[in-house]
Amino acid sequence: MTVIPVAEVALPAEVAALRHLESSTVERLRHEALTVPRNWVTEYGDYQNGGWHTLSLMNDTGDPRDVTIRDCPRPRPTALLERMPAMQELLAGLGVRCMWARLARLDHGAFLWEHRDYGELDEVERHRLHVPVVTNPSAYLVVGGTKVHMSVGRVWRLTPTSPHGVCNRFGPSRIHLIIDCYADAAFHDLNQGDAAAAGDAARMPEPSQSVLDETVTTATGLAELGYDHAAETALLELFYQYALAEGRAYDLIADMYAGLHRDDDAERWRSKKNVMLGLA
Amino acid sequence: MNSTRLLDDVAAVNLPRQFGLLEKTVEVISGSDAVHSLHVRGSLAAGTADRLSDLDFIVAVHDPSFGPFIRIIDTLMSAELGAILPGWRDTIVARMGGLGYVFLVPHEGKLHQIDLYAVPVSRLDTVLAQTKAMPVYQSDGEHSQRHSQVDWLINSTLERPYTAQELLVEILVLGHMIRKRITRGQRYVAYAEMFALHTATKNLIKTALTPGSAFYGWYQLAEEIGATPMGRQCLADLDRLISGHPIPTADDLTAALTTALDVAERAAPDAVAGLRTAISAYWHYLELM
């Protein structure tokens, strides 16, 4: 395995570490998150490899299993949130105008592939808040070639209209409270960035040509044996190891299939790149 | 609903948790026409499996595809099953004609051991004659012809010395095995595997600090390794390691792994850096066993 040097850096503009949370609050949130939710929903299958599950806490139907995000100006608590008093207290305390709130569980080995969010919603300004409840060092967000480990004990802001991806390479499961909210005075009060803890952000290295060649060779070997999914995964994972240009991982997959004279598969991945990155 | 069906439902929910991983592994590996068949062996084939048992597979690969399969095995296991470390080239398994690899894979919140014994189809009968095994997958294809390059590939792989990172993986895999022995009360095997962990740590020091050593095994360590302050520190750690209880407790194992990782950090820092987050996850799972 190649040693990949990373350099600690300031947080990218798309991410901010906001308010600190009391450790007792975090402990109550963690207890609830690990004991109350059941029957997690796996949604957005094209965007992930199967290990990302959610349940809604605030939406317009009150159904925790209704997890497909849409504009939702008047959300109400779901049956799940009614059984989670610490979550209720936190949501009320943040004071922001919530569009949707959900718990997201990212299992070991799970990836949300490089994508942009909010593409399907209208132009109303929105922001996404993350409250990490359970995490580990191998769970991180990648945006603009920088990996950000959202540590527990803070409220974080993510602007998801930039290409980003999330992974939990080795586990245990990561659980975040994710709140999509409208921009208003309460949000702007909350959105006062502070320095992240040391180690929370690191710039990833540019990939050398030999690294790209070696990975493509391995992926091609997998595809030639019929392990297409593993081949695609090996190339998509480059986004989490190296600072790649936008959509480069998708291009590498399309090129791999083109090299194998599998033109339909190459075209499928070119189209998928456009959908994932909102370029269509 | 009849009582047989109801009992089947009860049995299903009481299956050892690794049965789900067994199904998933079979599904993943059999996804290639290059794979001729899959057998399980060990406790699964003997009917003695418990919730800590590893999953032992024999993977028969058509001879022309054997080399390509070996080259992608780490990436396949990582991408599809979430193996936290590269496969350890197993030196405990008997030499039956193929290549053995051990992977550590999280499943339902616990870390499980998957042993893959890859064998060219031309040698499958020889392997099956040496071990009790049960088929779990058989392709429809014909047997491929014997391919002369597989002998060279297997022999050269077995003879290739380990890198420092491979030895670090060996230490971690052995730690996982020993933890299981402790839980089961298997004192003799725990003793043997603890000695293997000590040996792997010694080998890591030698590989990192005296890669061209002409001395065998444990001989001449003080003269070769102890010639520098860093080497003496590594030997002091090694001395502490081998001075522990021969039959370890869980606390002894934690202390031994901590020392071995300290040694690795000092002698082969790049090897540790490449696996740092995986090692963090490894500790988490080890505590849950």
Side-chain angles (χ1 to χ4, degrees):
Chain A
M1 185 177 289
T2 308
V3 178
I4 303 170
V6 292
E8 288 193 16
V9 293
L11 291 171
E14 294 89 346
V15 186
L18 309 179
R19 183 178 299 172
H20 287 271
L21 299 174
E22 296 286 338
S23 61
S24 58
T25 301
V26 173
E27 285 304 317
R28 289 177 62 215
L29 294 172
R30 179 179 302 158
H31 180 77
E32 283 187 355
L34 291 173
T35 57
V36 179
R38 294 282 186 277
N39 302 316
W40 293 81
V41 180
T42 307
E43 179 65 299
Y44 297 109
D46 286 344
Y47 287 75
Q48 57 149 318
N49 69 343
W52 193 68
H53 317 281
T54 54
L55 283 170
S56 292
L57 298 175
M58 296 280 290
N59 61 16
D60 56 3
T61 63
D63 178 2
R65 292 178 57 80
D66 175 1
V67 295
T68 305
I69 302 298
R70 55 192 174 268
D71 197 26
C72 185
R74 281 177 292 281
R76 61 192 174 97
T78 65
L80 176 62
L81 181 60
E82 287 169 359
R83 292 187 286 127
M84 304 183 82
M87 291 287 173
Q88 292 174 32
E89 198 175 305
L90 178 76
L91 285 166
L94 292 176
V96 294
R97 186 180 162 219
C98 179
M99 181 188 95
W100 203 288
R102 54 196 160 142
L103 286 174
R105 193 187 88 208
L106 193 68
D107 289 338
H108 73 86
F111 292 82
L112 272 171
W113 306 124
E114 180 188 9
H115 69 285
R116 277 194 178 88
D117 285 317
Y118 290 169
E120 73 280 21
L121 301 179
D122 60 28
E123 294 303 315
V124 176
E125 185 181 351
R126 298 176 184 79
H127 295 277
R128 178 164 292 168
L129 302 174
H130 278 248
V131 181
V133 181
V134 182
T135 192
N136 72 78
S138 75
Y140 54 89
L141 164 82
V142 172
V143 58
T146 297
K147 59 189 282 190
V148 178
H149 170 67
M150 294 185 181
S151 52
V152 171
R154 303 289 292 267
V155 178
W156 295 75
R157 188 258 299 154
L158 166 66
T159 303
T161 49
S162 295
H164 64 283
V166 185
C167 69
N168 180 2
R169 303 183 67 84
F170 305 122
S173 294
R174 184 198 88 159
I175 301 177
H176 279 196
L177 165 63
I178 300 177
I179 306 154
D180 291 286
C181 63
Y182 297 102
D184 61 7
F187 169 76
H188 290 295
D189 283 349
L190 177 67
N191 189 32
Q192 304 301 314
D194 195 356
D200 279 348
R203 180 75 187 165
M204 296 188 295
E206 304 285 333
S208 65
Q209 192 57 47
S210 64
V211 162
L212 292 177
D213 291 346
E214 186 181 328
T215 310
V216 168
T217 298
T218 302
T220 303
L222 283 159
E224 285 176 333
L225 288 173
Y227 297 122
D228 289 0
H229 186 261
E232 294 160 4
T233 300
L235 293 171
L236 289 169
E237 285 188 20
L238 283 171
F239 179 77
Y240 303 87
Q241 301 169 51
Y242 297 97
L244 296 185
E246 180 178 333
R248 182 82 169 104
Y250 298 112
D251 293 338
L252 289 170
I253 297 173
D255 292 348
M256 175 190 74
Y257 282 129
L260 291 168
H261 306 294
R262 293 170 57 176
D263 295 339
D264 289 349
D265 290 315
E267 187 52 38
R268 178 168 56 86
W269 277 92
R270 290 188 194 105
S271 299
K272 179 158 183 167
K273 171 188 173 183
N274 289 336
V275 171
M276 297 292 284
L277 298 175
L279 305 174
Chain B
M1 191 176 288
N2 62 39
S3 60
T4 304
R5 170 72 188 279
L6 292 170
L7 285 171
D8 285 347
D9 291 345
V10 173
V13 298
N14 284 284
L15 281 174
R17 70 168 78 85
Q18 67 268 46
F19 268 67
L21 185 57
L22 171 74
E23 289 180 335
K24 191 174 173 185
T25 308
V26 171
E27 181 188 338
V28 166
I29 295 176
S30 65
S32 169
D33 290 341
V35 174
H36 162 271
S37 59
L38 278 169
H39 289 74
V40 290
R41 64 187 201 97
S43 58
L44 279 171
T48 57
D50 63 21
R51 284 175 179 260
L52 292 174
S53 294
D54 47 349
L55 301 176
D56 278 323
F57 289 95
I58 298 167
V59 186
V61 181
H62 291 294
D63 284 33
S65 299
F66 186 75
F69 181 82
I70 293 298
R71 282 193 284 278
I72 57 84
I73 195 168
D74 277 349
T75 309
L76 179 67
M77 292 298 287
S78 166
E80 296 291 46
L81 292 166
I84 67 170
L85 297 167
W88 170 53
R89 181 157 50 83
D90 193 343
T91 50
I92 295 176
V93 68
R95 289 195 175 193
M96 298 184 288
L99 294 171
Y101 294 88
V102 179
F103 294 90
L104 298 181
V105 175
H107 177 68
E108 294 187 357
K110 305 283 186 182
L111 197 60
H112 296 273
Q113 181 182 329
I114 297 180
D115 297 357
L116 295 184
Y117 196 79
V119 59
V121 171
S122 61
R123 292 183 175 188
L124 178 60
D125 289 344
T126 308
V127 172
L128 293 178
Q130 299 175 70
T131 186
K132 182 176 175 59
M134 294 175 68
V136 290
Y137 168 77
Q138 174 76 53
S139 73
D140 297 329
E142 297 291 314
H143 274 229
S144 56
Q145 294 298 310
R146 184 178 177 81
H147 200 281
S148 59
Q149 285 195 332
V150 297
D151 293 339
W152 174 84
L153 174 67
I154 291 169
N155 291 334
S156 62
T157 303
L158 290 172
E159 288 164 12
R160 180 179 63 76
Y162 283 114
T163 64
Q165 187 171 74
E166 288 170 332
L167 288 161
L168 177 57
V169 171
E170 177 176 358
I171 289 166
L172 296 168
V173 169
L174 286 168
H176 182 264
M177 291 179 176
I178 294 165
R179 187 65 186 84
K180 183 168 62 179
R181 309 304 177 197
I182 293 168
T183 302
R184 284 177 174 160
Q186 294 174 299
R187 289 164 54 82
Y188 299 125
V189 187
Y191 165 81
E193 290 174 351
M194 198 66 179
F195 176 70
L197 190 151
H198 296 164
T199 303
T201 307
K202 177 267 294 175
N203 290 342
L204 188 150
I205 296 170
K206 288 185 72 170
T207 297
L209 301 184
T210 58
S213 174
F215 295 105
Y216 173 77
W218 294 79
Y219 289 89
Q220 304 293 325
L221 289 179
E223 291 78 359
E224 272 197 330
I225 307 290
T228 65
M230 182 174 71
R232 286 191 289 278
Q233 187 61 54
C234 286
L235 290 184
D237 286 338
L238 184 64
D239 197 87
R240 187 151 42 90
L241 193 62
I242 64 176
S243 302
H245 296 130
I247 302 174
T249 63
D251 287 344
D252 293 333
L253 175 62
T254 299
L257 283 169
T258 302
T259 301
L261 288 170
D262 286 346
V263 169
E265 187 81 66
R266 187 177 299 110
D270 284 355
V272 180
L275 299 175
R276 197 174 301 285
T277 50
I279 292 170
S280 172
Y282 172 87
W283 278 120
H284 165 81
Y285 293 116
L286 201 69
E287 287 169 7
L288 293 179
M289 278 185 78

